[in-house]
Amino acid sequence: MATEKELLKKFLDPLKVCKRYKPKFGQGNREEGVSLSQFLDLYGDDPFYAWCGLDSELMYAAHKAAGGMTSIYRQIGKGCESLFREIIIDVTGYTDRASAAWSYKTKTSAGKDKTLSLDGRLEFDDIRSANVKERVNAWVAEYCGILGAKTPAHGAVFEVRQGYKSKDSKRQNGDIDNIAVAWAQGYMPVFAIFSSQIDGDLVLRYRNSRGGILVGRTDGPSTVSLFAFCREVLEFDLSEFFRRNSPIIKREVHETLEALLNA
């Protein structure tokens, strides 16, 4: 079983990447990004940008902050994935960590194989804890009743996200594809959204496609609230975990924001 400190590390480790973030300014595949001095040279050597006064530390800070905000959301999302998967491994008693992951192969437009994966899996047959297995089976059956679907043969798979504010059609279509493949392979697909912010139209579209959705609400039943699901089905109080560790998480985020908002 992972300790509280280890679980918190799973969540926070991806966020540390953001402190090192530097904008790339279209400079090829430059992994390390462009430093302030490199930016001032780059924009200072561009007559038009220099005439407009864009070769300034404030402009660099604005670019750094804009890209860094995206990076923060992305890295918090990775932390959510890692934390959720570790919770599943602990509470189920899986003997093989691979039981908590699910992936499948598909073809690209160029005819090449591509592997797509989701972030967590509750595999009926691999759950060692009898109590958890009973609750998971009952919860999946209840949710299938809500979706108007038959109970799957193997369990449930989860796509974990920190939030879902985008209405990007490409992402939605990819999610719908995942839903279809999951059902075809004997799993109920569920989107586990840590934030409570998700467009109602998306919830409706995914549920109409037979995809479950759990959101970060502190109220509501386990078929709606991610926190209720973790507490009542997995017997892990995720909301209390975040309340306890909020001061540490806030400090890490604050330090990251300070690093991003300075040139």
Side-chain angles (χ1 to χ4, degrees), residues 20-25 27 30-43 56-57 59-61 63-64 262-263:
R20 303 189 297 272
Y21 173 81
K22 294 186 184 72
K24 295 183 173 59
F25 295 99
Q27 297 300 295
R30 186 191 291 264
E31 286 296 326
E32 69 278 10
V34 174
S35 69
L36 174 59
S37 61
Q38 290 169 329
F39 164 79
L40 293 175
D41 289 340
L42 178 68
Y43 272 42
S56 75
E57 291 190 4
M59 193 65 186
Y60 180 80
H63 273 280
K64 190 178 177 186
N262 283 292

Side-chain angles (χ1 to χ4, degrees), residues 62-79:
H63 273 280
K64 190 178 177 186
M69 294 307 103
T70 300
S71 181
I72 283 180
Y73 284 121
R74 183 183 299 118
Q75 299 306 324
I76 287 179
K78 288 182 179 180

Side-chain angles (χ1 to χ4, degrees), residues 105-116:
K105 290 188 180 296
T106 186
K107 292 285 186 183
T108 67
S109 56
K112 295 182 179 180
D113 286 335
K114 180 172 70 172
T115 300
L116 299 177

Side-chain angles (χ1 to χ4, degrees), residues 127-186:
I127 298 175
R128 311 315 301 169
S129 168
N131 289 335
V132 173
K133 186 172 186 176
E134 182 180 355
R135 289 195 302 273
V136 167
N137 274 269
W139 181 82
V140 170
E142 180 184 3
Y143 213 125
C144 285
I146 294 171
L147 296 175
K150 292 183 179 179
T151 304
H154 301 305
V157 289
F158 295 82
E159 172 71 4
V160 177
R161 292 183 184 151
Q162 54 80 22
Y164 200 166
K165 301 176 188 177
S166 169
K167 297 194 86 169
D168 178 79
S169 60
K170 184 177 180 181
R171 169 175 280 195
Q172 289 182 44
N173 290 337
D175 287 342
I176 300 300
D177 288 344
N178 286 338
I179 289 172
V181 174
W183 279 113
Q185 294 193 9

Side-chain angles (χ1 to χ4, degrees), residues 158-225:
F158 295 82
E159 172 71 4
V160 177
R161 292 183 184 151
Q162 54 80 22
Y164 200 166
K165 301 176 188 177
S166 169
K167 297 194 86 169
D168 178 79
S169 60
K170 184 177 180 181
R171 169 175 280 195
Q172 289 182 44
N173 290 337
D175 287 342
I176 300 300
D177 288 344
N178 286 338
I179 289 172
V181 174
W183 279 113
Q185 294 193 9
Y187 295 99
M188 181 180 77
V190 182
F191 293 84
I193 315 297
F194 275 59
S195 166
S196 63
Q197 298 182 41
I198 182 170
D199 189 280
D201 291 342
L202 288 176
V203 174
L204 184 61
R205 184 183 182 196
Y206 285 10
R207 283 189 173 156
N208 284 342
S209 300
R210 304 299 183 265
I213 290 191
L214 299 172
V215 296
R217 288 172 43 178
T218 54
D219 62 331
S222 62
T223 51
V224 173
S225 164

